[in-house]
Amino acid sequence: MNPLLQCLCLAVTSALLLAPTAHAEPAYPVRPVRILVGFSPGGSNDIVARLLAPKLSEALGQQVLIDNRPGAGGSIAADSMLKAPADGHTLMICTTGLLTIQPLLQKPGYDPRTDIVPVSLIANTPYIALANAALPIRSVPELIAYAKAHPGELHFASSGNGTMGHLAGEMLKLRAGIHIVHVPYKGTGQAMTDLIGGQVSLIFDQPISSLAYAKSGKLRVLGVAALQRLQSLPEVPTFAEAGLPGFDPVAWTGLCAAKGTPAHVLARLHLDLVQVLRQSEIAQRLVQDGMQVVGSSPDEFREFLVAERRKWAAVIKEVQLRLE
């Protein structure tokens, strides 16, 4: 080859190698990342977010900030995320109520199936049934037998109409063929107080907010709605073990982004989140709080959401639940 032509070819090749490609992906993240939590500080979803934030900060190389936007069952947080640029710097902790239950009961102003993009399912939290310790009920079979012998006498509390605690009670009524009366409260705190005081008989709740009452002897855990016993409650049988396999209310916590978030950003977030969840100190803390660590792919999370919506839609339709 002509020496001059050879030098020209080398120069062109070097320039092409050094120049940025037309399809280069923008850097991410380039500033602090906000994770919106649609509930007040101290709740289970807030606890999970604050547990993960420091480790995600290390993985992403930018500070991860938790921003609580309580109200409307998480819809205020969702609205805030959807109004922010869809670049992965504003994310949200998504929950059972926000993406599966509330949209079945009322129109939230956005489409949870298309406007909110799943990143990863973080953890599942099977609900547990707890009874006032003074009741002559020590297991799920005894609960069902008592309810059938005394229809309408047992009252179960929840933190409000249309909440997971409410729907868990309705699901039990359907699966077990019993009649227990729902008593809604404006939050779990007063419901727990009245349950301990004997004003109501039962509650369906997450372990993270109720285990302390059970361990103190003020309440009695009857069963857990999981495929396997919880490591934090190894002595408590599952509802399936108690002869009621169709009772499976599970709260879950996931990480979501807004529609339009670039694919490479979603992939980075998923990869880093799963690596954080695999860290023993994180996994052990979640298990200790009664959760089951997941860390699913976006596609697995999306399939899970479809199944959850189908399950709760059937329950809501069967009990003809309507919110005022």
Side-chain angles (χ1 to χ4, degrees), residues 16 87 90 109 112 152 162 173 188 198 203 206 215 221 229 264 291:
L16 289 173
D87 57 8
T90 303
K173 290 164 64 175
T188 305
I203 197 167
Q206 298 181 44
K215 291 179 179 178
V221 184
R229 296 191 183 196
H264 76 280
M291 301 181 193

Side-chain angles (χ1 to χ4, degrees), residues 216-271:
S216 69
K218 295 178 180 179
L219 299 177
R220 181 178 297 123
V221 184
L222 304 179
V224 56
L227 296 177
Q228 298 178 339
R229 296 191 183 196
L230 295 181
Q231 293 184 37
S232 55
L233 288 170
E235 74 285 357
V236 179
T238 66
F239 274 81
E241 288 179 280
L244 205 66
F247 182 72
D248 57 352
V250 172
W252 52 262
T253 301
L255 184 66
C256 292
K259 178 180 69 174
T261 302
H264 76 280
V265 172
L266 296 173
R268 170 74 185 277
L269 286 167
H270 170 255
L271 177 64

Side-chain angles (χ1 to χ4, degrees), residues 76-89:
I76 291 176
D79 184 64
S80 297
M81 181 183 71
L82 294 175
K83 287 179 178 177
D87 57 8
H89 290 89

Side-chain angles (χ1 to χ4, degrees), residues 132-168:
N132 180 283
L135 285 173
I137 299 172
R138 296 183 175 276
S139 65
V140 172
E142 288 183 9
L143 166 62
I144 295 172
Y146 188 95
K148 287 184 175 181
H150 306 84
E153 289 188 16
L154 293 178
H155 293 69
F156 75 96
S158 80
S159 57
N161 286 314
T163 61
M164 273 294 294
H166 175 199
L167 290 179

Side-chain angles (χ1 to χ4, degrees), residues 15 30 52 55 68 135 174 176 181 193 216 220 223-224 259 264-265 277-278 281 287 301 303-304 308 314 317 320 324:
V30 295
L52 299 177
K55 297 297 184 181
N68 295 86
L135 285 173
L174 293 172
V181 180
T193 298
S216 69
R220 181 178 297 123
V224 56
K259 178 180 69 174
H264 76 280
V265 172
L277 290 173
R278 287 176 179 168
E281 60 183 291
V287 169
F301 193 5
E303 291 174 4
F304 173 80
E308 281 286 285
K317 180 178 180 181
Q320 299 181 343
E324 298 298 331

Side-chain angles (χ1 to χ4, degrees), residues 47-72:
I47 290 172
V48 170
R50 293 182 186 279
L51 175 66
L52 299 177
K55 297 297 184 181
L56 278 176
S57 296
E58 294 176 9
L60 291 170
Q62 286 281 353
Q63 188 175 11
V64 174
L65 306 171
I66 304 303
D67 186 355
N68 295 86
R69 299 290 182 93

Side-chain angles (χ1 to χ4, degrees), residues 34-46:
R34 281 193 309 151
I35 297 182
L36 300 170
V37 178
F39 305 92
S40 301
S44 59
N45 294 293
D46 178 72

